[in-house]
Amino acid sequence: MKLEKVTIVGGTHGNEYTGPYLLKFLKEKNLLTKFSTFETNLFLANPKAYEKNVRFLDVDLNRSFSQEDLSNSSLGHYEADRAKVIHQLLGPKSNPKTDFILDVHTTTANMGVTLIIVDNNPFNLEMAAFVKSKIPGVSILYNPMAEQAGREGLPFLNSLTEHSIGIELGPIANGIVRQDVLLQACDSTLACLEYIEMVNNETEIPVGNEIEVFEKVKPVSFPLDSHGNIAAIVHEYLQDRDFKPLHKNHPVFLKLDGEVVLNQEEETYFPIFINEAATYYLSIAYSLTRKRLLKIRK
Ligand SMILES: [Zn+2]
């Protein structure tokens, strides 16, 4: 297998500034010239949202890439049109013009460097294992949606290609860039590209056949009042405890009248995206994951 065209995407969410700055940084510092076996395309996904420093104008671009939405000409809003343009440039899903997509995101949650896998093919899993072996403390989030919906059904930008990975970095506020986070983004991106170079050169990859992932289980809503408004805040106990075990009866919310809400889940899950700014409008406070070992090569 040889990958010839690689696309690094920033600004899929317009107020996550690390991605767009990473694209400039890679270019200005000439960091891509050391890779000789593939071409790299640096791609700003949602320029209008980036210009306005908002996540999106009308709808979330990173939920606009299901085959059904891409084929629906009656949606008529900015991100639906933008997704169709990107689909023309990088896709189609069945026969994409790029061989790999790396999509760079940031989060306000304390998630460090997290690699997100939506297609559990051996290439993506092995890349994640390789990056984790090079950069200590990296977590791997696996979204099993592709197992049910297939890649055609997935709404994410990087579902345009079979070989893809998402990088999520945090905590960082929206609309700013920090040197530490930018350098983490750069290091993890270069590790992904190094992996591709090794695959292209048929170099043996020094990782085992098992990888520990956090598999997405479900989102958890804030407690709501009778009007549907958020009626509690994330409890200080839970704040910043992303990827740490959450046991039954541990505090998760503080209601505005002072009542402490305890976790009622029987299973010990691992919460992520705790107090993520981007999901307040959906009343989502955090998501639950479960630890799982995946085989890289079946
Ligand atoms: Zn994002």
mmCIF file of all heavy atoms in Angstrom, residues 13 16 55 105-106 168, ligand 1:
data_model
loop_
_atom_site.group_PDB
_atom_site.id
_atom_site.type_symbol
_atom_site.label_atom_id
_atom_site.label_comp_id
_atom_site.label_asym_id
_atom_site.label_seq_id
_atom_site.Cartn_x
_atom_site.Cartn_y
_atom_site.Cartn_z
ATOM 1 N N HIS A 13 -13.948 23.432 12.727
ATOM 2 C CA HIS A 13 -14.701 24.306 13.633
ATOM 3 C C HIS A 13 -13.961 25.641 13.678
ATOM 4 O O HIS A 13 -12.786 25.704 14.064
ATOM 5 C CB HIS A 13 -14.807 23.672 15.026
ATOM 6 C CG HIS A 13 -15.639 22.425 15.014
ATOM 7 N ND1 HIS A 13 -15.257 21.255 15.622
ATOM 8 C CD2 HIS A 13 -16.840 22.181 14.435
ATOM 9 C CE1 HIS A 13 -16.200 20.336 15.428
ATOM 10 N NE2 HIS A 13 -17.164 20.879 14.712
ATOM 11 N N GLU A 16 -11.747 27.065 16.640
ATOM 12 C CA GLU A 16 -10.650 26.248 17.165
ATOM 13 C C GLU A 16 -9.389 26.634 16.387
ATOM 14 O O GLU A 16 -9.096 26.083 15.329
ATOM 15 C CB GLU A 16 -10.993 24.760 17.021
ATOM 16 C CG GLU A 16 -12.220 24.374 17.857
ATOM 17 C CD GLU A 16 -12.711 22.954 17.630
ATOM 18 O OE1 GLU A 16 -12.102 22.200 16.845
ATOM 19 O OE2 GLU A 16 -13.739 22.598 18.243
ATOM 20 N N ARG A 55 -17.893 28.558 15.865
ATOM 21 C CA ARG A 55 -17.765 27.129 15.555
ATOM 22 C C ARG A 55 -18.305 26.839 14.152
ATOM 23 O O ARG A 55 -17.710 26.120 13.368
ATOM 24 C CB ARG A 55 -18.535 26.320 16.606
ATOM 25 C CG ARG A 55 -18.407 24.802 16.467
ATOM 26 C CD ARG A 55 -19.092 24.130 17.657
ATOM 27 N NE ARG A 55 -19.158 22.683 17.554
ATOM 28 C CZ ARG A 55 -18.188 21.846 17.957
ATOM 29 N NH1 ARG A 55 -17.068 22.316 18.449
ATOM 30 N NH2 ARG A 55 -18.353 20.547 17.861
ATOM 31 N N HIS A 105 -8.500 19.335 15.770
ATOM 32 C CA HIS A 105 -9.511 20.031 16.586
ATOM 33 C C HIS A 105 -8.936 20.375 17.949
ATOM 34 O O HIS A 105 -7.930 19.814 18.376
ATOM 35 C CB HIS A 105 -10.728 19.119 16.807
ATOM 36 C CG HIS A 105 -11.532 18.913 15.575
ATOM 37 N ND1 HIS A 105 -12.750 19.521 15.372
ATOM 38 C CD2 HIS A 105 -11.289 18.167 14.473
ATOM 39 C CE1 HIS A 105 -13.229 19.154 14.194
ATOM 40 N NE2 HIS A 105 -12.354 18.330 13.612
ATOM 41 N N THR A 106 -9.647 21.281 18.656
ATOM 42 C CA THR A 106 -9.303 21.536 20.060
ATOM 43 C C THR A 106 -10.559 21.451 20.910
ATOM 44 O O THR A 106 -11.686 21.539 20.404
ATOM 45 C CB THR A 106 -8.658 22.920 20.264
ATOM 46 O OG1 THR A 106 -9.557 23.935 19.802
ATOM 47 C CG2 THR A 106 -7.330 23.028 19.561
ATOM 48 N N GLU A 168 -7.524 15.752 18.776
ATOM 49 C CA GLU A 168 -8.260 16.658 19.666
ATOM 50 C C GLU A 168 -7.268 17.097 20.736
ATOM 51 O O GLU A 168 -6.605 16.249 21.351
ATOM 52 C CB GLU A 168 -9.420 15.875 20.270
ATOM 53 C CG GLU A 168 -10.478 16.659 20.965
ATOM 54 C CD GLU A 168 -11.401 17.415 20.030
ATOM 55 O OE1 GLU A 168 -12.117 16.808 19.215
ATOM 56 O OE2 GLU A 168 -11.414 18.650 20.145
HETATM 57 ZN ZN ZN B 1 -13.710 20.700 16.793
#
